């Protein structure tokens, strides 16, 4: 299995895991858990305790792009910051939507774009963008009805055009916001 497929499959399943504490923990414990995960991410990005945490770093490097080896887990840090703010500012039903579009939409966009993306839009592909829109719309439709496609379209545009701010940070926030409208 190539690195990009391995990364995106891990991306989908690991982000969806945030749904468990979102619905099972009271909000103060949920926010505390988020802060602890963010602290762990920071320690990984700055390589604190790298010798003692070798198995964790080995796992991260297994799923990490080579370009991120200098700051391992940096994209996970951006994601977890976005998830934390989503959990802090939005009701859990809306936050769940933000988590789902980040996991499913970004995951499928990456897989399809990497393997089938031929029509480039910046550093992304039209095929990946369509995969984002379709996968997110279909997954959310049973819960949101037609509004799912507005969420999917907004997420697709964030995925395509976020340049200065990491899409892993923006997607949970934008998805949660649009779900609450």
């Amino acid at each position: 299995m190539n690195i990009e497929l391995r990364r995106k499959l891990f991306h989908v399943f690991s982000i969806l895991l945030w749904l468990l504490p979102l619905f099972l923990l009271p909000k103060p414990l949920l926010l505390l858990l988020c802060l602890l995960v963010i602290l762990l991410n920071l320690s990984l990005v700055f390589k604190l305790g790298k010798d003692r945490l070798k198995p964790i770093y080995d796992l991260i490097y297994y799923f990490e792009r080579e370009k991120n080896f200098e700051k391992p887990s940096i994209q996970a840090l951006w994601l977890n910051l976005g998830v934390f703010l989503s959990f802090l500012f939005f009701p859990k039903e809306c936050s769940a939507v933000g988590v789902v579009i980040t996991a499913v939409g970004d995951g499928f966009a990456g897989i399809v774009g990497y393997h089938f993306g031929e029509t480039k839009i910046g550093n992304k592909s039209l095929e990946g963008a369509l995969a984002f829109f379709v996968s997110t719309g279909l997954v959310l439709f049973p819960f949101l009805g037609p509004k799912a496609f507005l969420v999917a379209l907004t997420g697709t545009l964030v995925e395509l055009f976020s340049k200065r701010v990491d899409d892993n940070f923006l997607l949970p926030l934008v998805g949660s916001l649009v779900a609450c409208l």
Side-chain angles (χ1 to χ4, degrees):
M1 180 181 315
N2 72 42
I3 182 70
E4 206 55 34
L5 180 59
R6 186 170 58 221
R7 281 185 76 256
K8 288 302 179 177
L9 289 174
F10 182 76
H11 181 87
V12 170
F13 294 110
S14 64
I15 295 171
L16 287 175
L17 282 175
W18 271 119
L19 294 175
L20 291 174
L22 175 62
F23 287 104
L24 295 177
L25 295 178
K27 192 159 188 167
L29 276 178
L30 174 65
L31 296 176
L32 179 62
L33 175 64
C34 287
L35 290 173
L36 290 172
V37 169
I38 289 167
L39 286 173
L40 175 63
N41 271 143
L42 283 168
S43 70
L44 295 170
V45 168
F46 294 109
K47 298 180 182 177
L48 304 175
K50 186 174 180 184
D51 296 335
R52 289 187 309 248
L53 300 173
K54 185 176 178 343
I56 292 173
Y57 281 93
D58 289 343
L59 181 65
I60 289 168
Y61 288 132
Y62 182 71
F63 290 104
E64 193 64 87
R65 290 180 180 134
E66 197 170 317
K67 73 176 187 171
N68 293 335
F69 281 3
E70 275 303 305
K71 290 188 176 181
S73 191
I74 188 70
Q75 290 179 306
L77 175 61
W78 284 117
L79 166 83
N80 289 318
L81 286 168
V83 166
F84 170 72
L85 292 174
S86 170
F87 290 174
L88 184 63
F89 293 119
F90 297 102
K92 64 180 155 188
E93 294 77 16
C94 297
S95 295
V97 171
V99 167
V100 169
I101 72 161
T102 307
V104 175
D106 191 49
F108 279 94
I111 292 168
V112 171
Y114 181 81
H115 291 286
F116 306 105
E118 293 183 12
T119 311
K120 293 297 178 192
I121 302 172
N123 65 342
K124 307 285 183 165
S125 73
L126 176 62
E127 296 82 2
L130 290 172
F132 189 112
F133 179 77
V134 170
S135 64
T136 303
L138 290 176
V139 167
L140 291 177
F141 187 79
F143 305 100
L144 301 178
K147 187 179 192 178
F149 296 104
L150 175 62
V151 173
L153 176 62
T154 307
T156 301
L157 294 173
V158 168
E159 170 74 14
L160 271 174
F161 298 113
S162 60
K163 301 282 186 235
R164 291 189 172 168
V165 181
D166 193 294
D167 64 335
N168 290 309
F169 175 74
L170 291 175
L171 284 170
L173 293 168
V174 171
S176 299
L177 176 67
V178 176
C180 276
L181 296 178

